[in-house]
Amino acid sequence: MHHTTPLITTIVGGLVLAFLLGMLANRLRISPLVGYLLAGVLAGPFTPGFVADTNLAPELAELGVILLMFGVGLHFSLKDLMAVKSIAIPGAVAQIAVATLLGMGLSWAMGWSWMTGLVFGLCLSTASTVVLLRALEERQLIDSQRGQIAIGWLIVEDLVMVLTLVLLPAIAGMLEQGNASPTLLVWDLLLTIGKVAAFMVLMMVVGRRVVPWILAKSAATGSRELFTLSVLALALGIAFGAVEFFDVSFALGAFFAGMVLNESELSHRAAHDTLPLRDAFAVLFFVSVGMLFDPMILVEQPLAVLGALAIIVLGKSIAAWLLVSLLGHSRRTALTISVSLAQIGEFAFILAGLGISLGMLSDEGRNLVLAAAILSIMLNPILFTLLERYLDKTETMEEQTLEEAIEEEKQIPVDICNHAVIVGYGRVGSLLGQQLLEADVPLVVVENSRPRVEALREQGIKAVLGNAARIDTMDLARLDCARWLLLTIPNGYEAGEIVTAARAKRPDIEIIARAHYDDEVTYIMERGANRVVMGEREIANSMLNVLQEEIAQNPIVRECPI
């Protein structure tokens, strides 16, 4: 008997197509994101064959945005946000203004009204949360200064878009009545700002105490399922409450939920447990974007599509590059941020949908926004690759090391040798580090978490902030004269990359790594590790040693007592 299952069909169809085309894109040495977007086009209503539910897909994608922003908040403290406010606030506002004016100029050239041009320009002005964070994660820039600025910039853009979503209906209402009321508009603006401020204060004052307490209680039960459930319930519940009661976006609500948990040690466990769901729903986000795209727009209006794409890729990028450069940051930082923002995403779709419902944007305008979004998302990984090649060719190693040192709060190399370098200071790393300190072994920790590095430095432990796979980071840790390299990070394949880089620089160093699975052990050993410790195997060996000691003291009597 046939059952109508649109939810299951959409999830299965979207993920299967995304997997197949993602693998194909990877084989062709292009970003898997392109495969995910093409999977959405194939699953959409504008191409023959399988058609997924276009109403369900965006809602599933929104879950991915919530979980992703919650994960970012787990690694992003209020201190980090305040540290970049001097560049993120003026930069984001100015860049939105530039992109909006350029969009209005293009709409004027196409004969649209100024109000339609305003909505169209706003759609082109804001970057995609998912695309930006995925690009930063792939290059391990989330905890770098460049990453912090880009994320802070994104948060400011989200706040501006929240205000825009509230003000557009009020403006539309005034235009319909023909009686513009600036007082009403100012009142709506103040009310929205007040709601956002109330939500932020509530999260900083109440949430900072309640959220960690709830997670601590769930962790104390010893049930992994309950802990993971509590993380999801908090992330989704707070995001939904932010929208329902404060008119804040899902993404912003989830971000603050994660940020108030940042100071807890459980934040890393929460981020790890939600990672598979974040990845799966992020893929569905790209699939849902592809489903909205009508390829015929490329044939019918190629010049208009190119114009919109030029505003996103060139106009926004140049504006961001100029603003960051004028505020005194390095060329690498300015270029990284400008490339990060050279795309548009979820807020563009939301604004376009609202514009259609209010009669402030035509179907033609929405199609142009969707086409430009698809193309900019496809081009973004290519732009990042070109940027990396450009920096590699135009910067010397000394300039790269100098710029990274400046970006990472002017770090200087540690002043010890014959020491142990520990990469990662989570549960395993902290236990190992404590034992080394008790044994008077000189120690340097390499971490990509700024709060952890600051905490270690406060304890008098030498720590380097950065990506251990980068030679310049390991130079700061003095890998050239270290005695041991100890990798305690849980990702075996990431550990393999670090081993490869370290072995190329120090063929004689003793490298001990951690792994969870047999294939990770093989992978890391092939790249030059002296020994790989697999947790499950060591637990079994320890239990066997205990049993052997017990048997030696109390030999087994094979005869059963009657």
Side-chain angles (χ1 to χ4, degrees):
M1 182 178 177
H2 176 70
H3 296 279
T4 302
T5 54
L7 178 61
I8 296 176
T9 302
T10 300
I11 293 176
V12 173
L15 292 180
V16 169
L17 284 172
F19 167 71
L20 294 175
L21 292 175
M23 288 291 290
L24 178 61
N26 189 64
R27 289 292 299 272
L28 296 175
R29 299 185 179 277
I30 58 179
S31 173
L33 297 185
V34 177
Y36 306 154
L37 290 166
L38 291 177
V41 174
L42 292 179
F46 303 105
T47 54
F50 169 73
V51 177
D53 192 312
T54 54
N55 295 318
L56 285 174
E59 293 193 35
L60 293 172
E62 195 71 62
L63 289 174
V65 176
I66 292 171
L67 294 173
L68 192 69
M69 288 301 290
F70 180 72
V72 172
L74 290 172
H75 299 286
F76 200 93
S77 66
L78 184 62
K79 181 181 177 182
D80 294 329
L81 191 59
M82 292 297 102
V84 299
K85 68 178 185 300
S86 60
I87 180 174
I89 295 175
V93 172
Q95 181 236 288
I96 289 173
V98 169
T100 302
L101 289 174
L102 290 174
M104 292 179 72
L106 179 60
S107 67
W108 174 79
M110 292 187 291
W112 297 352
S113 68
W114 72 270
M115 198 65 227
T116 299
L118 175 63
V119 176
F120 179 70
L122 287 170
C123 289
L124 303 183
S125 68
T126 177
S128 165
T129 300
V130 179
V131 176
L132 184 145
L133 294 177
R134 180 61 65 88
L136 295 179
E137 282 180 343
E138 287 178 353
R139 291 155 185 84
Q140 298 183 334
L141 293 174
I142 289 287
D143 290 297
S144 69
Q145 187 187 54
R146 288 173 284 166
Q148 300 289 307
I149 293 173
I151 293 171
W153 196 300
L154 186 73
I155 296 303
V156 175
E157 282 192 352
D158 282 357
L159 286 170
V160 173
M161 290 303 111
V162 167
L163 295 176
T164 302
L165 291 173
V166 173
L167 293 178
L168 275 182
I171 295 173
M174 293 187 328
L175 292 176
E176 285 180 3
Q177 296 171 3
N179 181 21
S181 174
T183 304
L184 180 61
L185 196 62
V186 171
W187 172 250
D188 286 339
L189 178 62
L190 292 176
L191 183 62
T192 303
I193 294 175
K195 287 181 178 180
V196 173
F199 172 73
M200 294 172 65
V201 170
L202 182 66
M203 293 303 299
M204 291 297 104
V205 176
V206 180
R208 180 174 284 181
R209 294 171 174 81
V210 174
V211 172
W213 179 81
I214 292 174
L215 282 190
K217 288 295 183 182
S218 61
T221 63
S223 170
R224 183 173 181 176
E225 292 81 3
L226 279 176
F227 179 79
T228 304
L229 184 60
S230 67
V231 174
L232 294 175
L234 285 169
L236 299 174
I238 292 174
F240 180 78
V243 174
E244 192 72 15
F245 301 109
F246 297 95
D247 292 327
V248 178
S249 69
F250 283 117
L252 208 61
F255 172 79
F256 277 98
M259 198 166 67
V260 298
L261 186 60
N262 175 267
E263 298 173 3
S264 170
E265 278 298 316
L266 291 172
S267 63
H268 298 277
R269 180 179 169 187
H272 179 267
D273 286 359
T274 57
L275 183 60
L277 280 173
R278 278 187 280 152
D279 287 342
F281 282 107
V283 169
L284 286 176
F285 166 79
F286 292 106
V287 174
S288 70
V289 172
M291 289 170 59
L292 297 172
F293 179 53
D294 183 359
M296 288 304 297
I297 190 73
L298 301 175
V299 178
E300 296 171 354
Q301 297 190 22
L303 293 180
V305 171
L306 287 176
L309 186 62
I311 291 172
I312 297 168
V313 175
L314 296 178
K316 287 176 60 179
S317 295
I318 293 172
W321 175 74
L322 287 173
L323 290 164
V324 177
S325 298
L326 288 174
L327 291 170
H329 288 269
S330 67
R331 177 181 60 164
R332 177 182 294 190
T333 299
L335 288 173
T336 301
I337 293 172
S338 63
V339 170
S340 299
L341 300 170
Q343 38 77 18
I344 60 174
E346 52 272 16
F347 263 115
F349 313 140
I350 296 170
L351 276 173
L354 181 62
I356 290 287
S357 64
L358 295 174
M360 303 171 74
L361 187 68
S362 63
D363 290 334
E364 178 187 6
R366 181 174 63 179
N367 288 334
L368 281 179
V369 170
L370 293 174
I374 292 283
L375 294 174
S376 67
I377 290 173
M378 286 183 171
L379 287 174
N380 200 246
I382 299 174
L383 294 177
F384 262 107
T385 301
L386 293 175
L387 172 63
E388 290 168 353
R389 291 179 180 176
Y390 169 75
L391 291 176
D392 288 340
K393 289 182 179 180
T394 59
E395 290 181 335
T396 64
M397 183 59 68
E398 290 75 15
E399 288 174 330
Q400 290 179 14
T401 303
L402 177 61
E403 287 209 17
E404 286 296 321
I406 291 172
E407 289 176 2
E408 300 296 353
E409 300 178 352
K410 299 182 180 179
Q411 296 184 101
I412 59 174
V414 296
D415 55 356
I416 60 175
C417 277
N418 294 317
H419 58 290
V421 177
I422 294 183
V423 177
Y425 212 71
R427 289 181 299 171
V428 176
S430 58
L431 289 171
L432 177 60
Q434 189 61 40
Q435 293 180 15
L436 290 176
L437 291 172
E438 291 173 358
D440 292 327
V441 176
L443 175 65
V444 175
V445 176
V446 178
E447 252 287 352
N448 59 12
S449 170
R450 192 181 301 272
R452 283 189 179 181
V453 169
E454 292 175 351
L456 287 168
R457 289 172 178 169
E458 289 175 0
Q459 298 170 26
I461 299 174
K462 297 182 184 297
V464 173
L465 176 65
N467 178 8
R470 296 183 64 93
I471 293 300
D472 48 2
T473 300
M474 298 307 278
D475 285 342
L476 294 171
R478 292 304 305 273
L479 182 70
D480 60 315
C481 65
R483 186 171 177 182
W484 302 280
L485 175 60
L486 310 172
L487 307 178
T488 66
I489 56 177
N491 189 324
Y493 293 98
E494 182 181 345
E497 295 178 8
I498 298 172
V499 170
T500 301
R503 187 59 76 196
K505 185 173 181 64
R506 278 288 309 278
D508 59 330
I509 193 171
E510 183 80 10
I511 301 178
I512 304 174
R514 167 192 177 190
H516 281 298
Y517 306 103
D518 290 325
D519 57 343
E520 290 181 347
V521 173
T522 304
Y523 179 83
I524 298 172
M525 290 294 291
E526 287 176 348
R527 273 145 186 79
N530 297 94
R531 183 179 176 189
V532 180
V533 178
M534 192 170 78
E536 291 78 2
R537 187 178 297 164
E538 294 301 317
I539 292 172
N541 290 337
S542 298
M543 294 177 71
L544 180 59
N545 291 335
V546 172
L547 283 174
Q548 288 174 340
E549 292 175 4
E550 180 69 22
I551 292 170
Q553 295 174 5
N554 301 292
I556 296 176
V557 179
R558 297 186 180 277
E559 292 78 9
C560 295
I562 299 174

